[in-house]
C-alpha cells in the first residue's frame, strides 16, 4: 500500500512494487543481507526509480511497516481525528495485534534477523504520523 496522500497511480504502483519486493525478500533472508539492488531486481525497476521514492532500504522498510499498519487500521475501520479518545484506544489495541502478527510471521520464517528494533522504530514513526495527521485535521 503506497503512501496515503499519493494520488498518482504510477507512483502508487511503483511504491507497491518496491514494498512487495522487500516483503518477499524478507521471507528469504535477513534485512541486513538485503541490498537495494536485490529490491530493484525483484521489483523490476531501476535504482534511480528506487531513489526517486525512498532514501534507502530503511526508508522503504519504514514505509512498508506503516502501510501494513494503515491497512490493518482500515480493515478495522479505525481512524483518529483528534476529537475522540476511543480512536486512540483502538489504535493502541491495533498496535498490539499488529506486533503480535509480525512476531508470529517472524517465528515461522526459517532465517531470523535482528529486525525487532527496526520494527519498533517503524511502528513508532507510523503511529506518530497517524496521530499528528489526526490532530492537524481536527484544528
Amino acid at each position: 500500500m503506497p503512501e496515503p496522500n499519493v494520488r498518482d497511480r504510477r507512483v502508487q504502483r511503483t511504491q507497491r512494487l518496491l514494498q512487495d519486493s522487500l516483503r518477499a525478500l524478507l521471507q528469504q533472508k535477513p534485512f541486513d543481507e538485503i541490498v537495494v539492488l536485490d529490491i530493484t531486481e525483484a521489483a523490476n525497476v531501476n535504482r534511480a526509480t528506487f531513489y526517486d521514492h525512498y532514501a534507502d532500504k530503511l526508508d522503504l522498510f519504514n514505509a512498508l511497516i506503516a502501510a501494513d499498519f494503515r491497512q490493518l487500521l482500515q480493515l478495522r475501520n479505525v481512524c483518529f481525528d483528534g476529537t475522540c479518545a476511543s480512536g486512540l484506544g483502538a489504535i493502541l489495541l491495533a498496535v498490539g495485534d499488529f506486533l503480535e502478527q509480525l512476531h508470529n510471521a517472524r517465528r515461522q520464517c526459517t532465517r531470523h534477523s535482528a529486525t525487532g528494533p527496526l520494527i519498533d522504530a517503524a511502528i513508532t514513526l507510523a503511529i506518530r504520523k497517524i496521530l499528528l495527521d489526526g490532530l492537524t485535521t481536527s484544528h
Side-chain angles (χ1 to χ4, degrees), residues 3 12 49-50 57 62 74:
E3 294 292 322
Q12 291 176 350
T49 300
F50 175 91
K57 71 176 186 175
N62 290 338
Q74 285 177 345

Side-chain angles (χ1 to χ4, degrees), residues 2 23 37 56-57 60 80 93 131:
R23 184 181 291 108
L37 182 60
D56 53 26
K57 71 176 186 175
L60 172 59
F80 177 72
L93 290 173
L131 296 179

Side-chain angles (χ1 to χ4, degrees), residues 103-125:
H103 178 70
N104 289 338
R106 286 176 52 218
R107 195 178 321 149
Q108 293 171 358
C109 183
T110 57
R111 297 188 61 163
H112 296 284
S113 69
T115 56
L118 296 176
I119 291 170
D120 292 346
I123 194 69
T124 300
L125 287 172

Side-chain angles (χ1 to χ4, degrees), residues 21-43:
S21 296
L22 179 58
R23 184 181 291 108
L25 287 166
L26 287 168
Q27 295 300 312
Q28 299 170 16
K29 56 185 173 179
F31 180 77
D32 55 344
E33 292 180 16
I34 297 171
V35 296
V36 170
L37 182 60
D38 296 331
I39 299 165
T40 57
E41 286 180 350

Side-chain angles (χ1 to χ4, degrees), residues 36-113:
V36 170
L37 182 60
D38 296 331
I39 299 165
T40 57
E41 286 180 350
N44 198 26
V45 300
N46 65 43
R47 289 175 61 90
T49 300
F50 175 91
Y51 289 110
D52 284 342
H53 295 274
Y54 301 103
D56 53 26
K57 71 176 186 175
L58 182 58
D59 190 28
L60 172 59
F61 181 81
N62 290 338
L64 171 64
I65 295 297
D68 288 351
F69 184 64
R70 281 193 314 272
Q71 186 174 21
L72 175 66
L73 293 178
Q74 285 177 345
L75 287 172
R76 293 181 175 198
N77 201 24
V78 172
C79 64
F80 177 72
D81 64 3
T83 62
C84 181
S86 66
L88 183 58
I91 289 172
L92 292 175
L93 290 173
V95 169
D97 292 343
F98 183 73
L99 291 174
E100 182 179 9
Q101 288 174 5
L102 287 176
H103 178 70
N104 289 338
R106 286 176 52 218
R107 195 178 321 149
Q108 293 171 358
C109 183
T110 57
R111 297 188 61 163
H112 296 284
S113 69

